Amino acid sequence: MARFHFRFEASQRLADQLLDMAKREFAQEMRRWQACADALAAQRDIFNNALEGQRSAGMHSPEDLAIWQNYVFEQRRRLKNREAEKLEQEEIVEKTRHILIEAHREAEKFRRLKEKQLKEFLQKELLKEQKILDETGQILHWQQKKHSLQC
C-alpha cells in the first residue's frame, strides 16, 4: 500500500505554529486585561473610601476637609487613568482575539483539507485493491474453467 503524503504539510505546520503563537499572545493579553481590571477594582475601592473619608471629615473635622478633597481629587484622577488603561487593554484583547480566530480558521482549513485528501487517497487505494482482487478472481476463474475443460 502506498503512503499518504499531504502536499501542504509545511503550510499546515506553519498554520499550527501561528495558532500556538496566537493562543499564547491572547492568553498574555488576557492576563494583562485581568491585571488592569483588578487594579481598577482596587482603585475604585480606594476612591470610595476616600469619598467616605471626605464625608466624615465634612461632618466631624472641617479643618481636614481640604486635605480630604485633594486626596479624593487625586484618587478620582487615578481611577480615570485605570479606566482608560482597562479600555485600552480591552481593545488590544479584541484585536488579539480576532488574530486568534483567523489563525484557528487557517489551521482548521488545512486540517480539513488533509482529512479530505486522506479520504480520497484511501478511496483510491481501496479501488486499486478491489481491481487487483477482481483481476485475481478472473484469473482464478479462467484457470479453473481451463482446468475443468482439460479434465
Side-chain angles (χ1 to χ4, degrees):
M1 183 172 180
R3 283 183 36 138
F4 172 70
H5 177 69
F6 182 52
R7 293 183 316 203
F8 301 108
E9 194 72 42
S11 298
Q12 182 184 15
R13 274 195 309 274
L14 180 62
D16 289 340
Q17 288 173 354
L18 291 175
L19 177 61
D20 288 342
M21 284 178 23
K23 284 179 180 178
R24 282 193 299 274
E25 178 125 0
F26 181 71
Q28 183 179 19
E29 295 302 336
M30 283 299 294
R31 284 191 298 273
R32 287 183 185 148
W33 175 84
Q34 188 60 51
C36 287
D38 292 346
L40 176 61
Q43 186 59 45
R44 190 170 281 129
D45 290 343
I46 292 170
F47 175 70
N48 289 335
N49 289 338
L51 282 177
E52 188 58 40
Q54 182 181 358
R55 277 189 216 103
S56 178
M59 286 192 257
H60 302 296
S61 55
E63 64 278 357
D64 294 337
L65 186 59
I67 295 170
W68 277 103
Q69 285 175 333
N70 286 335
Y71 183 66
V72 166
F73 177 78
E74 178 62 25
Q75 297 312 311
R76 181 179 293 132
R77 184 187 65 75
R78 289 182 183 181
L79 181 62
K80 287 183 181 189
N81 287 343
R82 293 289 184 193
E83 288 171 345
E85 288 173 5
K86 184 178 177 235
L87 287 174
E88 185 179 313
Q89 188 60 34
E90 285 174 354
E91 290 176 10
I92 293 170
V93 164
E94 202 54 37
K95 287 177 186 175
T96 56
R97 178 178 286 127
H98 287 295
I99 291 169
L100 175 62
I101 290 169
E102 284 303 312
H104 188 273
R105 280 186 190 140
E106 191 71 16
E108 188 66 19
K109 176 179 76 173
F110 283 111
R111 186 189 63 76
R112 286 186 182 146
L113 182 60
K114 184 175 184 176
E115 286 176 3
K116 181 180 176 185
Q117 286 182 359
L118 178 62
K119 188 176 180 181
E120 289 172 2
F121 172 79
L122 292 174
Q123 186 67 30
K124 286 178 184 178
E125 286 297 309
L126 286 175
L127 288 174
K128 284 180 190 177
E129 287 179 18
Q130 186 63 45
K131 186 177 177 181
I132 291 169
L133 289 173
D134 289 346
E135 288 175 0
T136 305
Q138 271 185 336
I139 291 170
L140 289 174
H141 177 71
W142 290 336
Q143 285 178 350
Q144 193 175 33
K145 201 176 201 182
K146 186 178 177 183
H147 185 321
S148 65
L149 288 176
Q150 288 177 352
C151 293

